[in-house]
Amino acid sequence: MKRSAVSFTLVATMSAALCIPALPSEAADAAAGRKKARQCQTCHGIDGIAKIPIAPHIAGESEIYLVTQLKAFRSGKRTHEIMTVIAKDLSDQDMADLAAWYASIEITATLPE
C-alpha cells in the first residue's frame, strides 16, 4: 500500500472514531426509560408527542440528540425553566434510558397532496 493510502486510511479511521459518542457504562434500557418517562408525560407525553404547545415532540428523535440536550440542560449550557430543574437530578443512565425509550418510538408522516 502506498504511503498516501495508509495516511488517508488512518485519518479516516481516526476521524470516524471521534464522531462516535461515548456509551454509558451500562447499556440503555428502553423499558426502564418508559417507566422513567412518567415524569415527562405531562409535557412530552409517554408517546413523545407533546401535550402542551411549548414542548417539542421527542418521539423518534435520535438517542444521541436526546442525551445531548438533557446533558446540556443538566450542565446549564442550555436553560429552560422546567427542563433545567428536571435534568439536574437525572443520572447519565437515566438520560440514556429515557433517550432509548423515546428514540424507539416509530413516527410516520403523511405529506398533503
Side-chain angles (χ1 to χ4, degrees), residues 81-112:
E81 61 187 304
I82 298 169
M83 286 304 302
T84 301
V85 172
I86 291 170
K88 75 177 174 77
D89 293 328
L90 295 176
S91 68
D92 286 350
Q93 188 64 50
D94 292 335
M95 292 179 187
D97 293 345
L98 287 165
W101 165 247
Y102 282 115
S104 72
I105 300 169
E106 293 184 26
I107 298 295
T108 60
T110 305
L111 296 174

Side-chain angles (χ1 to χ4, degrees), residues 18-60:
L18 292 173
C19 294
I20 299 171
L23 298 175
S25 58
E26 296 180 34
D29 182 347
R34 180 184 177 132
K35 290 177 186 172
K36 294 172 185 179
R38 289 185 186 129
Q39 66 182 331
C40 311
Q41 70 183 2
T42 301
C43 299
H44 298 288
I46 197 72
D47 60 358
I49 304 300
K51 304 303 179 202
I52 61 174
I54 63 168
H57 300 307
I58 57 176

